[in-house]
Amino acid sequence: MRKPIALTFLFIFVFSFFMALVLRENPMISGAESYAEQISTTAAGTYITLRSVNAVLSTAQDVEISVSLGGGGSAQPLKTLEPVDDTTERIAGLVFYIMVATGILSVSMGPISSVGFVMLGLASLMRFIEVSIGASLMSRGLALRFFAYGGFLALALPAAFVLSSLVAEPLTEKRLDDNQKIVADIIPPVAVGLDDDGNFLQRARSTFERAGELATQAMAIWENADRLFKSYIIILAIFVFRIFVLPLMLLGAFFVLTRWFLEPERPG
């Protein structure tokens, strides 16, 4: 009876260290990293769009109109866009944090899983030696904790993200696409920069035309601000659901199973 148990622990030890060494070949790890990278890429695109809107609104607010009647002077009629500009900047900040968090997850998933496999391997090696020589080198409770938490890091963490990709994308993909289309319809691609080519009259004409385009785009954003922010909030909520809410729910379930595994048996 002792020999099969010892061989089982030896197999787990060899398997764990093998998986720690060839981590890139693990489809679960690559799937979890791909899922995090996909969300990070989508968030980056959304962030760039938001910062572009922010730039358009900020530039439009600085447009001055000179008034020569009476005593003269100037005015900035598009300063009313400032609340929309501030809200856009805050949403962009939240999307930026999500983009960074998912980037960190995509990079750290492999090393964390590797640490988990090493913990599994060490616990298995200790148990193999104990069973083979019939002596206790470490407490059984400590070995169980190494097994449980090593398995949690090596298997449960990437599995939570892989399962999230299988569940979250079908549930949220259509709504994400619909809201991205709404944003694209409200924000057409219009150049913000001003040309420096040509003579003074050409530059002045180009500046006037671009200023008109800029004001038109800024007013379109203003008139559709409620739809725009609603779509951005939905997109932000989808990101949070995909990368935080659903994986944490699955990790919570795995953690409950881990704690149950670690609890000593109680008499019925």
Side-chain angles (χ1 to χ4, degrees):
M1 183 67 181
R2 180 177 296 179
K3 186 175 180 180
I5 296 176
L7 290 176
T8 301
F9 284 123
L10 181 61
F11 172 77
I12 297 174
F13 165 73
V14 174
F15 174 78
S16 298
F17 275 89
F18 174 76
M19 293 302 296
L21 292 174
V22 295
L23 203 62
R24 286 294 167 189
E25 305 301 324
N26 188 339
M28 187 178 295
I29 300 299
S30 60
E33 289 178 343
S34 176
Y35 177 63
E37 288 173 3
Q38 180 185 359
I39 296 176
S40 181
T41 302
T42 307
T46 303
Y47 176 75
I48 291 171
T49 304
L50 280 164
R51 295 305 296 177
S52 299
V53 172
N54 194 216
V56 169
L57 295 175
S58 298
T59 307
Q61 290 179 72
D62 294 333
V63 174
E64 292 187 358
I65 298 178
S66 298
V67 180
S68 58
L69 297 176
S74 62
Q76 294 177 312
L78 296 180
K79 271 294 183 182
T80 55
L81 296 170
E82 187 171 359
V84 179
D85 188 21
D86 292 342
T87 306
T88 303
E89 189 172 359
R90 290 190 179 94
I91 296 176
L94 293 174
V95 174
F96 176 79
Y97 289 130
I98 291 176
M99 179 181 67
V100 172
T102 51
I104 293 172
L105 282 172
S106 66
V107 172
S108 61
M109 193 75 65
I112 290 174
S113 183
S114 181
V115 170
F117 278 119
V118 170
M119 292 175 65
L120 276 174
L122 290 175
S124 302
L125 179 61
M126 296 296 293
R127 292 297 295 163
F128 168 74
I129 296 173
E130 289 175 357
V131 173
S132 299
I133 67 176
S136 178
L137 301 179
M138 61 190 297
S139 70
R140 186 172 181 274
L142 185 58
L144 278 175
R145 280 170 172 77
F146 266 80
F147 268 115
Y149 293 125
F152 184 83
L153 294 176
L155 302 173
L157 182 63
F161 285 90
V162 171
L163 291 174
S164 295
S165 68
L166 297 175
V167 174
E169 290 185 7
L171 291 177
T172 59
E173 191 66 32
K174 186 179 184 304
R175 199 165 189 189
L176 180 63
D177 290 341
D178 291 343
N179 285 278
Q180 285 177 333
K181 289 177 182 177
I182 292 173
V183 171
D185 290 339
I186 296 174
I187 309 171
V190 175
V192 179
L194 301 177
D195 292 334
D196 291 329
D197 298 333
N199 56 32
F200 174 78
L201 291 177
Q202 289 175 334
R203 288 199 302 271
R205 182 175 181 179
S206 175
T207 300
F208 181 78
E209 291 175 352
R210 291 288 176 83
E213 292 177 356
L214 190 63
T216 301
Q217 187 177 20
M219 291 311 298
I221 294 172
W222 168 263
E223 292 170 358
N224 297 278
D226 54 344
R227 293 174 58 221
L228 183 65
F229 290 146
K230 180 181 178 181
S231 295
Y232 271 130
I233 289 172
I234 291 174
I235 292 171
L236 182 63
I238 289 173
F239 289 156
V240 172
F241 175 75
R242 285 186 174 186
I243 202 64
F244 294 117
V245 176
L246 189 56
L248 285 176
M249 289 173 62
L250 293 171
L251 282 174
F254 288 135
F255 186 75
V256 169
L257 290 174
T258 302
R259 292 295 299 270
W260 174 81
F261 177 74
L262 291 175
E263 285 181 358
E265 293 184 3
R266 294 181 173 85

